[in-house]
Amino acid sequence: MIAPLRRRRAAHRWEPRADAPAWRVVLVTLGAVAVAALVVTWVFVAYGVAPGEAWATIVRRTLLEPRGLSETVRKAIPLLLAGIGLLLAFRARFWNIGAEGQILAGAIGATAVALFTELPGPLVVPAMFLAGMLAGAAWGAVPALLKARMGVNEIITTLMFNYIALYLVRWLINGPWKARSATGFSYSERFPAEAVLPTLGATRLHWPTLAIALVLVAVVALLLARSRFGFEVEVLGRSPEAARYAGIDAGRVTLLLAALAAGAAGLAGVGEVAGIHRRLVEPTQLSLGYGYAAILVALLARGKALAVVPAALFLGFVFAAGDVMRVSLRLPSQLPDVVTGLVLLLVVASEPLTRGRWVRRDPTEAAATPAAEAPVAPPAAATAGAPAGGAAHASPDGEG
Amino acid sequence: MRVDAPGRAQGPALNVASLEVRGGEIVGIAGVAGNGQSELVAVVAGLRAPSAGTVEVDGREPGGGRRRRGARSQVDAGVALVPEDRTKVGVVGDLSVARNLALRHAHRRPFARGMWIDWQAVGRHSQSAVAAYDIATPSTGTPARLLSGGNVQKVILARELDRDPGVVVAVHPTYGLDVAATSQTHERLLAAAGRGAAVLLVSEDLDEVLSLSDRVAVLAGGRVVATMAAADADPEALGLAMAGVAA
Amino acid sequence: MDVDVLVVATIARALAFATPLLWAALGEVIAERSGVVNLGVEGMMALGAVTGFAVAFTTGDVWWGLAAAGLAGMLGSLLHAFVAITLRADAYVSGLSLTMLGLGLSALIGRAWVGRPLPDPMRTIDVPWLRELPLLGPMLFQGQYVLTYAALLAAVVAWVLLFHTRGGLVLRSVGENPTAVDAAGLHVRPVRYAAVLIGGLLAGIGGGYLSLAYRPSWGEGMVNGLGWIALALAIFAMWHPLRVVLAGLLFGACFTLAFRLQTVFPPELLTMLPYVFTVLALVFTAWRRGRHAFGAPEALGRPYLRGER
């Protein structure tokens, strides 16, 4: 089936680095983004849109005009919340890709409070945030519990929970929670005024959620940098074996992290229903794939809590730019998905670049190799990193 | 410290009848690998709960017998472990020397302050530990994986022995080390026993076991098949016991 | 309804439903046996489905479409192989990005074909002679697609190749202990490349089955989590091609039975069932074998770098 090949000696050898300098990380990340921008430019050309004009329109309508900027920022809110949660989870190698479902769970929790409780006015919004957070946390805690106690693969369970949440919302708005007025499209009754979040001026920027998100980012940054819990997360994420030796209860830490992460995503869901839609709507409109894009936010931030802010803003820009492309430039609405996937791929691919470099072998060593047989790989492309992420999918103790 | 009938664990069954190590004493474990050494170590160090039986330190079970706390109970009870796998278990390669020196103790004073960690205390401690244990490292901020094997072992010894533990478990402590590092490790273990620690030494190097230990226990098939004073033990008798032949 | 008829109809439907899962899960078993996780199955299936449909629609020949579907899946997996094997980047994230990219790209490519039925879709066949068998005939040998039988055949072929040839031994060794394979003078990376590419090919064919046979059309939500269910199936079957068939049929039967409850349950909750069932299947697998994942390739998910343990 596979012919055994004789091994050739590579002309370069891999030299790992102690740590990646920050400028290198930033440079590599910007490089990935630049490549994605080039691809988008090519798409413009392919669709017969003048690239210069298209970019100018996008920049004007997402960054320069106040209304456009507010759209960029308000799209970054759910990304911030879900992203900071995922950053935590990923630090301990808990591969939660269920933020999308947790956002929906949070939205369900908030809707339940908004439509079906009789709380005094000022308490409604706090109760909605609390309910949304708890609903999200519960939604994320089930896969975490299954992982911690039984070793069930969390990648697949969290993803399945996304679909389950999606159909749950669909069932709610078509069945028990369906608005009396709803014909054609399905949605719930409109939230009462006290259950709607205030926005900045005439924009859709629901600032209370933004404030919560920023505080949460700061708290997580502090926890990671200075708390015992943060240290335990760091040890667990880098070496599960050493964590056991250090007396760290991996199950407890994982469960706590997963619940925190999912709770943060739940808050994002509250913001979307209470700040934007003001009712429970079709799940694919409620979250435009924020839960998946948040994975990229967390990875772009590379474990640094504060870096989630620029990463979320960048993706907020991608989403807002997608709207501009669709509405103003009449380009397909799927472009942002492609860009998100592409940037994710490029960022992953370039990740090893930050962790080491190829150096030429000693000439006496390399002399044994005809130059033509050396692997044709520019330093920028052929790189390697330390083994990463081995704990999640199917390592002996992480499988289900 | 004593281990009583930890019973059948998973894998090679460990069925130590009873093993007692007194303060100030070094007990060597001799035996062919796979006869229950790693299970014994895991149980004593709290990495694995025995399916039956107890581990007692100073007449008490670490953590009051609560099994879910894992190695932390043992750390708090003063059980030090120099693990077999230095680079994967003993240190976190990506973390700095300073943080590795605080690894098993970050939940206690002087490093912990409530739910926070006093990184300055960690830094100060690492400076003195690097000096006291002669650890060759560019700085205390250097990731542990850039250190040589001997220096990684020094980091581990500094962390495990510096707090005058009541029990020290050392597994293959000199495997792969050079002569200087080996003799230094031996001195550290002898010094720990001299300060009153009960030392359990697991090693495949029979000479090492015989030269350091006061008593030697032979493990075969998960059982202590023989215990003898190191002075009386000759390699031939040990070899027979290790092979499971009654002495 | 007569019980016999119910059983016969359920199994016949289960086969048809399970076919794309079988293709994709078999592909993943081969890839993962070589030690490379590919979470891009969903994306590769989507790429296969849209490419297959576009080519079949344009050429009017479903078989060209099917070839294109397999090729598209393979191209997707090549991307993953390059990033995860050559660049040694994180295989989980790489696969995930392949899924996101594949879903986005397929939606973009397929815009022109949304809502247009395939004029000449793949036809069902009746197996001569065997179709006459009582019970088994209508259960297994009437009104199925060739791709269903091909999937069963592929499972047997994969089993023979993996467990009864030297190449298969090398592939499995690469997944268990790449260092030893390397030390024996064999290349690790080409083997992994081959396994991942075969995985992509099979996932693409699974996608092609959806858009060329099962529901001969194209729409954005076509794959709708089937790729992820296939990943779960590979685990549920403990990385064994023949068990994939059994597990796939079990999955298929459960889904089909659930859909018979249509009169009792609202459709949204019924659509949810495959996903709930997948979670339950994973929990069952974990419960049955305890914390130790025997059957999982030892080096799964770890990039290979010579000189490293």
Side-chain angles (χ1 to χ4, degrees), chain C residues 78-99:
Chain C
L78 183 64
L79 210 59
H80 175 67
F82 180 70
V83 173
I85 302 172
T86 301
L87 301 186
R88 298 186 194 94
D90 190 307
Y92 299 100
V93 191
S94 167
L96 206 56
S97 62
L98 174 56
T99 282

Side-chain angles (χ1 to χ4, degrees), chain A residues 167-168 170-172 174-176, chain C residues 258-259 261-273:
Chain A
Y167 288 110
L168 196 62
R170 242 178 224 171
W171 172 65
L172 285 172
N174 279 296
Chain C
F259 277 93
L261 304 172
Q262 220 148 7
T263 45
V264 194
F265 277 106
E268 295 87 8
L269 292 187
L270 279 178
T271 328
M272 196 191 282
L273 281 172

Side-chain angles (χ1 to χ4, degrees), chain A residues 251-325:
Chain A
R252 203 196 100 224
V253 173
T254 306
L255 198 60
L256 207 57
L257 277 177
L260 269 171
L267 288 174
V270 180
E272 292 309 294
V273 284
I276 308 290
H277 304 288
R278 299 163 189 202
R279 52 173 33 132
L280 194 64
V281 296
E282 158 64 28
T284 51
Q285 282 169 25
L286 198 149
S287 172
L288 312 166
Y290 293 131
Y292 298 110
I295 297 169
L296 178 52
V297 170
L299 291 172
L300 275 175
R302 290 179 205 259
K304 301 257 185 301
L306 293 180
V308 164
V309 177
L313 282 172
F314 166 67
L315 270 154
F317 162 76
V318 171
F319 274 97
D323 280 354
V324 175
M325 289 183 213

Side-chain angles (χ1 to χ4, degrees), chain B residues 113-128:
Chain B
R113 285 221 187 125
M115 64 176 290
W116 306 104
I117 288 187
D118 182 352
W119 290 116
Q120 283 182 335
V122 172
R124 280 195 302 274
H125 168 260
S126 68
Q127 298 287 352
S128 64

Side-chain angles (χ1 to χ4, degrees), chain A residues 123-134:
Chain A
L123 285 184
V124 172
V125 165
M128 284 167 77
F129 274 115
L130 189 68
M133 189 177 71
L134 291 178

Side-chain angles (χ1 to χ4, degrees), chain C:
Chain C
M1 193 188 279
D2 200 338
V3 174
D4 284 1
V5 178
L6 180 72
V7 169
V8 165
T10 303
I11 293 185
R13 292 282 306 149
L15 261 182
F17 184 88
T19 300
L21 290 176
L22 289 182
W23 281 107
L26 278 175
E28 187 66 13
V29 164
I30 292 170
E32 292 198 7
R33 277 284 180 182
S34 82
V36 186
V37 177
N38 188 351
L39 299 184
V41 182
E42 180 88 1
M44 296 187 297
M45 285 179 83
L47 284 174
V50 75
T51 316
F53 186 86
V55 170
F57 195 92
T58 317
T59 62
D61 187 339
V62 283
W63 301 107
W64 278 115
L66 190 68
L71 201 66
M74 212 169 180
L75 277 178
S77 69
L78 183 64
L79 210 59
H80 175 67
F82 180 70
V83 173
I85 302 172
T86 301
L87 301 186
R88 298 186 194 94
D90 190 307
Y92 299 100
V93 191
S94 167
L96 206 56
S97 62
L98 174 56
T99 282
M100 287 171 75
L101 195 62
L103 289 177
L105 267 180
S106 61
L108 190 65
I109 297 168
R111 271 167 21 104
W113 288 284
V114 172
R116 301 169 78 171
L118 195 62
D120 191 13
M122 199 173 287
R123 298 218 176 83
T124 57
I125 55 161
D126 289 350
V127 182
W129 304 307
L130 294 174
R131 56 167 301 189
E132 313 288 346
L133 289 173
L135 235 54
L136 281 180
M139 210 186 275
L140 303 174
F141 301 113
Q142 291 177 14
Q144 301 284 358
Y145 295 100
V146 181
L147 277 180
T148 304
Y149 301 117
L152 301 177
L153 187 67
V156 176
V157 170
W159 172 66
V160 171
L161 287 180
L162 273 177
F163 292 96
H164 298 282
T165 64
R166 191 182 130 72
L169 180 66
V170 171
L171 190 148
R172 284 183 294 129
S173 312
V174 163
E176 297 289 341
N177 191 345
T179 317
V181 173
D182 196 12
L186 299 172
H187 271 295
V188 170
R189 285 199 256 168
V191 177
R192 289 190 160 178
Y193 257 92
V196 171
L197 288 181
I198 294 171
L201 175 75
L202 300 194
I205 291 176
Y209 171 83
L210 289 176
S211 67
L212 300 173
Y214 193 65
R215 266 175 298 176
S217 61
W218 163 254
E220 260 190 57
M222 177 155 258
V223 184
N224 209 21
L226 283 178
W228 293 102
I229 295 178
L231 276 164
L233 201 57
I235 297 171
F236 187 62
M238 289 193 278
W239 297 271
H240 194 291
L242 297 184
R243 279 197 294 259
V244 163
V245 172
L246 289 179
L249 290 181
L250 181 68
F251 266 55
C254 285
F255 301 160
T256 317
L257 270 180
F259 277 93
R260 295 203 167 267
L261 304 172
Q262 220 148 7
T263 45
V264 194
F265 277 106
E268 295 87 8
L269 292 187
L270 279 178
T271 328
M272 196 191 282
L273 281 172
Y275 311 105
V276 176
F277 183 73
T278 303
V279 173
L280 292 179
L282 287 179
V283 171
F284 174 76
T285 314
W287 168 76
R288 191 178 45 174
R289 71 186 174 196
R291 281 199 67 101
H292 291 277
F294 64 84
E298 195 63 36
L300 190 56
R302 261 178 274 155
Y304 180 64
L305 180 58
R306 193 178 299 152
E308 214 178 46
R309 277 211 306 169

